[in-house]
Amino acid sequence: MHKQTIKTSTNEYDVIIGKDLLSNLESYLPHNYTNILIVTDETVSKLYLNTVKEALHHKNNIGISVVPSGEATKSMEYFYQLQTAAIENHLDRKSLIIALGGGMIGDLAGFVAATFMRGIDFVQIPTTILAHDSSVGGKVAINHPKGKNLIGNFYPPVAVIYDVTTLHSLPDREIRSGYAEVIKHGLISDTTFFKDVVNTDLTIPLNSDITVEHLRKGIAVKAKVVEEDEKEKNIRKFLNFGHTLGHAIESELGYGEITHGEAVAIGMLFALRVSEGIFDQSLPYEKLFEWMQHNHYPLSIKWPTIDNLIDKMKLDKKSENAVVQMVLLTEVGKPAVQNIDDATLRTYLEKFIRELG
Amino acid sequence: MHKQTIKTSTNEYDVIIGKDLLSNLESYLPHNYTNILIVTDETVSKLYLNTVKEALHHKNNIGISVVPSGEATKSMEYFYQLQTAAIENHLDRKSLIIALGGGMIGDLAGFVAATFMRGIDFVQIPTTILAHDSSVGGKVAINHPKGKNLIGNFYPPVAVIYDVTTLHSLPDREIRSGYAEVIKHGLISDTTFFKDVVNTDLTIPLNSDITVEHLRKGIAVKAKVVEEDEKEKNIRKFLNFGHTLGHAIESELGYGEITHGEAVAIGMLFALRVSEGIFDQSLPYEKLFEWMQHNHYPLSIKWPTIDNLIDKMKLDKKSENAVVQMVLLTEVGKPAVQNIDDATLRTYLEKFIRELG
């Protein structure tokens, strides 16, 4: 079991990573809560809800809300439904919301916790690899039809309890999706970490010890950045590596057509090409491309028009005054934020789309 | 013109109070914003929107959202509508939302600002006396059908620009409503301030200089409390004096039937009676009662059942584990938080309702 303490401007909390943590859940909660609302989705509830309920069985008041799986649930409708559930389960300011699931559940339940009675405690129990990213940094949000994560808060959990045993139930595309963010944490921080991850074969079953190690390192990279820049004024933008195009692809293809990480992986390839062009540097484009190919990441997608992509890239929260900002690399481990004018962006996009075929 | 700086855990901001500030609005904004969304209601827009627009006329991008007047607008529906307006007006993280209006507009537009792209700047331009209270302290929220202000954040504005000239357009019941909170700030802080306010005749036109003075003192009381306890862990609860019963009355009669301040005024009378009983002290119940009577505060209302009142008092965010917490006074200027069991509460309520008639 690894424990890492994350400091934020307002509090600090532990991320606990290990095997078989769920059955001892109560011992990892930072306080003794009377009223708890567990928020989970239909997929995860079938797998782990009973274990969690069992682990909390002598608590007085446990409410449960199961919402549909998938990004579409991060909506105003379910946000409101969960607020109602919190009221109906008599949650008060000393109560707890448990987010049991992947990034969608963490974002949605976290935003409910951030706003219910102006903020109550919440604990994340991530059940995906991707959630190693979203569960650190305190970003919670729901989507607006016009853009992802447009309505939200910075609101850290009081604990993250990461039971890697749950990752064995992940379908292949969820493993790919999660590992894209692990790769990202390698690319923006450290060549050794990047090389280590890019030598991992995702087509064979995950090795728990290696997974714990990758998650631990990924979380450490993320934690270091967000501790320095919680509110995304400057260096936190580095975490957006691959996301400017990635978000645009996700949004244009429709959430669900391609996973978040798969879209980000394509976005990282693009960011590497742009970096090579702008900084006249050699970067591990081929290495990443081959790893993605070997592990069945989608590479030939149904591309939206370039106009639509650029429009969506401008809607990205990181952009200001309608100029696209991208995170590039001057070398592996050295990210830099760069404004890219529309004409340059168009040229790079045309070439990149031709190249991927 | 008075300027008072309020410190919060995350920033500090100025409250500027004076006459004819609106026409020089731009000089009071803390930054130079490119994109601005003005949020106001139908009543206030007819009176002051043109002045504000004129004052900002050379800005590039000013969006305007006018929502219906009244507490019912503090809803999920209008919250969502304003998020859409923010997107459609191309607001980004460096943009500003201006809340032009009373407490409802401040709460609603403030909560939109707190959550749009996880938080952008907002400035309050209060146009009511009541808003002297709500514009300091950083509480923003919308209502849930099951309770007031249940969905919100702690999110301070970057400036409060209080033009007392706007107060001359207030209807009598709005003046009464606002002055109830001024009285409250007197009662929980200082006998002299309380006596000064309770000697003010609200049935004749407001004197601008006296109003500035009362607002300034009220804001100072509130600011002192919230600077010490931003997140309402302890002494901020004192500001809830009169509100436990007040909120219950508002909610049971239906928002709009009685103004917030009118309900709080009745709540303060009740809190004084309970305080006298519990602490065996003489408190200025008669003085407050006579002032309320002289100034046409509603005193004989259509009382809900005591069961319903107690239920609603328990739903108050300040209550924990279903015991009603009330703020009482051991003497004027000395508030104290007290748990009151249901039987005691019932006895006091029965007697109080009989007494008011």
Side-chain angles (χ1 to χ4, degrees):
Chain A
M1 195 199 83
H2 290 273
K3 188 164 94 174
Q4 177 164 4
T5 303
I6 316 273
K7 291 187 180 59
T8 77
S9 60
T10 49
N11 73 344
E12 59 176 53
Y13 62 95
D14 290 334
V15 177
I16 299 158
I17 313 176
K19 297 182 221 171
D20 300 315
L21 304 180
L22 286 191
S23 45
N24 286 313
L25 180 58
E26 213 181 327
S27 63
Y28 303 115
L29 297 180
H31 302 290
N32 186 20
Y33 297 94
T34 41
N35 295 6
I36 298 178
L37 177 66
I38 302 170
V39 178
T40 187
D41 68 25
E42 286 163 1
T43 313
V44 175
S45 68
K46 291 189 192 104
L47 297 165
Y48 306 112
L49 184 56
N50 278 337
T51 314
V52 169
K53 270 161 59 182
E54 185 55 34
L56 301 171
H57 73 277
H58 62 280
K59 293 276 179 187
N60 287 333
N61 181 1
I62 307 281
I64 290 160
S65 285
V66 180
V67 297
S69 307
E71 186 72 16
T73 302
K74 263 174 67 176
S75 65
M76 199 63 92
E77 181 191 348
Y78 284 100
F79 172 70
Y80 180 70
Q81 188 173 306
L82 291 174
Q83 294 281 354
T84 306
I87 297 167
E88 286 173 352
N89 283 286
H90 305 290
L91 265 60
D92 63 25
R93 287 181 164 188
K94 298 279 174 76
S95 300
L96 175 72
I97 289 179
I98 291 180
L100 172 66
M104 181 282 277
I105 287 293
D107 280 4
L108 172 66
F111 188 47
V112 172
T115 53
F116 181 68
M117 294 191 174
R118 298 197 183 87
I120 65 170
D121 283 359
F122 86 108
V123 163
Q124 292 222 37
I125 304 183
T127 57
T128 63
I129 294 170
L130 191 60
H132 91 279
D133 181 51
S134 57
S135 65
V136 175
K139 283 188 177 182
V140 294
I142 55 175
N143 300 325
H144 188 283
K146 303 228 173 187
K148 219 178 147 175
N149 294 326
L150 283 181
I151 306 171
N153 279 145
F154 290 96
Y155 194 78
V158 294
V160 177
I161 300 158
Y162 214 143
D163 185 339
V164 296
T165 325
T166 64
L167 304 178
H168 293 295
S169 58
L170 283 179
D172 288 350
R173 67 192 310 231
E174 285 301 326
I175 293 175
R176 283 198 294 273
S177 186
Y179 256 94
E181 296 283 358
V182 180
I183 284 273
K184 181 197 77 179
H185 288 132
L187 278 170
I188 64 169
S189 72
D190 170 24
T191 308
T192 319
F193 181 24
F194 169 66
K195 283 188 183 151
D196 184 24
V197 182
V198 95
N199 285 324
T200 309
D201 187 348
L202 304 183
T203 64
I204 56 172
L206 293 178
N207 171 308
S208 279
D209 294 324
I210 294 177
T211 310
V212 167
E213 199 50 22
H214 287 164
L215 293 177
R216 196 184 64 70
K217 281 188 183 161
I219 286 171
V221 172
K222 173 119 190 208
K224 191 165 175 294
V225 172
V226 301
E227 282 177 9
E228 259 186 72
D229 178 26
E230 190 178 352
K231 298 286 169 69
E232 197 156 6
K233 305 282 184 202
N234 43 68
I235 65 162
R236 184 160 179 167
K237 288 182 178 170
F238 295 165
L239 298 171
N240 213 37
F241 184 71
H243 282 63
T244 313
L245 180 59
H247 275 163
I249 291 172
E250 260 189 291
S251 162
E252 277 294 304
L253 295 192
Y255 300 111
E257 270 304 298
I258 188 167
T259 65
H260 175 69
E262 287 168 343
V264 167
I266 294 173
M268 289 194 288
L269 279 179
F270 178 63
L272 288 174
R273 271 292 183 252
V274 178
S275 302
E276 287 177 334
I278 286 183
F279 300 122
D280 195 18
Q281 273 282 356
S282 166
L283 288 161
Y285 178 96
E286 291 304 329
K287 188 92 193 142
L288 178 59
F289 183 89
E290 282 160 21
W291 179 82
M292 283 172 63
Q293 203 166 38
H294 174 79
N295 293 303
H296 312 301
Y297 280 78
L299 284 160
S300 57
I301 61 170
K302 197 165 151 280
W303 283 97
T305 67
I306 293 197
D307 283 339
N308 287 354
L309 283 174
I310 293 180
D311 279 356
K312 282 280 154 62
M313 288 168 92
K314 283 185 179 168
L315 203 63
D316 194 88
K317 282 189 294 301
K318 286 84 193 172
S319 79
E320 281 158 20
N321 298 322
V323 176
V324 173
Q325 261 189 359
M326 277 183 72
V327 182
L328 304 178
L329 297 183
T330 58
E331 55 186 273
V332 173
K334 296 249 184 305
V337 174
Q338 190 89 8
N339 285 339
I340 317 268
D341 67 73
D342 287 14
T344 310
L345 193 59
R346 180 177 298 275
T347 310
Y348 277 110
L349 277 169
E350 280 167 357
K351 205 172 143 205
F352 178 70
I353 292 173
R354 255 198 327 270
E355 192 178 355
L356 280 194
Chain B
M1 194 199 82
H2 290 274
K3 189 164 94 173
Q4 177 163 3
T5 302
I6 316 274
K7 290 187 181 55
T8 77
S9 61
T10 50
N11 72 346
E12 58 176 53
Y13 62 94
D14 291 333
V15 178
I16 299 158
I17 312 177
K19 297 182 218 169
D20 300 316
L21 303 181
L22 285 193
S23 44
N24 287 312
L25 179 57
E26 212 182 326
S27 62
Y28 302 115
L29 297 181
H31 301 289
N32 186 22
Y33 297 95
T34 41
N35 295 5
I36 298 177
L37 178 66
I38 302 170
V39 179
T40 187
D41 69 24
E42 286 164 1
T43 314
V44 176
S45 68
K46 290 189 192 102
L47 298 165
Y48 306 111
L49 184 55
N50 277 337
T51 314
V52 170
K53 268 161 61 182
E54 185 56 34
L56 301 170
H57 73 280
H58 62 280
K59 293 275 182 191
N60 288 332
N61 181 0
I62 306 282
I64 290 160
S65 286
V66 180
V67 297
S69 306
E71 187 71 16
T73 302
K74 262 175 65 176
S75 65
M76 200 62 91
E77 181 191 347
Y78 285 100
F79 172 68
Y80 181 69
Q81 188 173 306
L82 291 174
Q83 294 282 355
T84 306
I87 297 168
E88 286 172 350
N89 284 285
H90 305 291
L91 265 60
D92 62 26
R93 288 181 165 187
K94 298 278 173 75
S95 301
L96 175 72
I97 288 178
I98 291 179
L100 171 67
M104 182 280 280
I105 286 292
D107 280 3
L108 172 65
F111 188 46
V112 172
T115 52
F116 180 67
M117 295 191 173
R118 298 198 183 86
I120 65 171
D121 283 0
F122 87 108
V123 162
Q124 293 223 40
I125 303 183
T127 57
T128 64
I129 294 170
L130 190 60
H132 92 279
D133 181 50
S134 58
S135 66
V136 176
K139 283 189 177 181
V140 294
I142 55 175
N143 300 326
H144 187 282
K146 303 229 172 181
K148 221 180 147 174
N149 294 326
L150 283 182
I151 307 172
N153 280 144
F154 290 96
Y155 194 79
V158 294
V160 177
I161 300 158
Y162 214 141
D163 185 341
V164 296
T165 324
T166 65
L167 304 178
H168 293 294
S169 58
L170 283 178
D172 288 351
R173 68 192 306 233
E174 285 301 324
I175 292 176
R176 283 197 294 271
S177 185
Y179 256 93
E181 296 282 358
V182 180
I183 285 271
K184 182 196 77 180
H185 287 132
L187 279 170
I188 65 169
S189 70
D190 169 26
T191 308
T192 318
F193 180 25
F194 169 68
K195 283 188 182 151
D196 184 23
V197 182
V198 96
N199 285 325
T200 308
D201 188 348
L202 304 183
T203 64
I204 56 172
L206 293 177
N207 172 308
S208 279
D209 294 324
I210 293 177
T211 310
V212 167
E213 199 50 22
H214 287 165
L215 293 178
R216 196 184 64 70
K217 281 187 183 159
I219 285 171
V221 171
K222 172 118 190 207
K224 190 165 176 295
V225 172
V226 300
E227 282 177 9
E228 258 187 76
D229 178 26
E230 190 178 351
K231 297 286 169 69
E232 197 154 9
K233 305 282 184 203
N234 45 68
I235 65 161
R236 185 162 179 164
K237 289 182 178 171
F238 294 165
L239 298 172
N240 213 38
F241 183 72
H243 282 62
T244 312
L245 180 60
H247 276 163
I249 291 172
E250 259 189 293
S251 162
E252 276 295 303
L253 294 192
Y255 300 111
E257 271 304 298
I258 187 167
T259 66
H260 175 70
E262 286 168 345
V264 167
I266 294 173
M268 290 194 288
L269 280 178
F270 179 63
L272 287 173
R273 271 290 183 255
V274 178
S275 302
E276 287 177 335
I278 286 184
F279 300 121
D280 195 19
Q281 273 283 353
S282 166
L283 287 160
Y285 179 97
E286 292 304 329
K287 187 90 193 144
L288 178 59
F289 183 88
E290 283 160 20
W291 179 83
M292 283 173 63
Q293 201 165 40
H294 174 79
N295 292 302
H296 314 301
Y297 280 76
L299 283 160
S300 57
I301 62 170
K302 195 164 153 279
W303 281 98
T305 68
I306 292 195
D307 283 339
N308 287 353
L309 283 175
I310 293 181
D311 279 354
K312 281 280 154 62
M313 288 168 94
K314 283 185 179 170
L315 202 63
D316 195 88
K317 280 188 295 303
K318 284 87 194 169
S319 77
E320 282 157 22
N321 298 323
V323 176
V324 173
Q325 261 190 358
M326 276 184 73
V327 181
L328 303 178
L329 297 183
T330 57
E331 57 186 272
V332 173
K334 295 250 185 301
V337 174
Q338 191 88 8
N339 285 339
I340 318 266
D341 66 74
D342 287 14
T344 311
L345 192 59
R346 180 177 299 275
T347 311
Y348 277 110
L349 276 169
E350 279 167 357
K351 204 171 145 209
F352 178 70
I353 292 172
R354 255 197 328 270
E355 191 177 359
L356 280 194

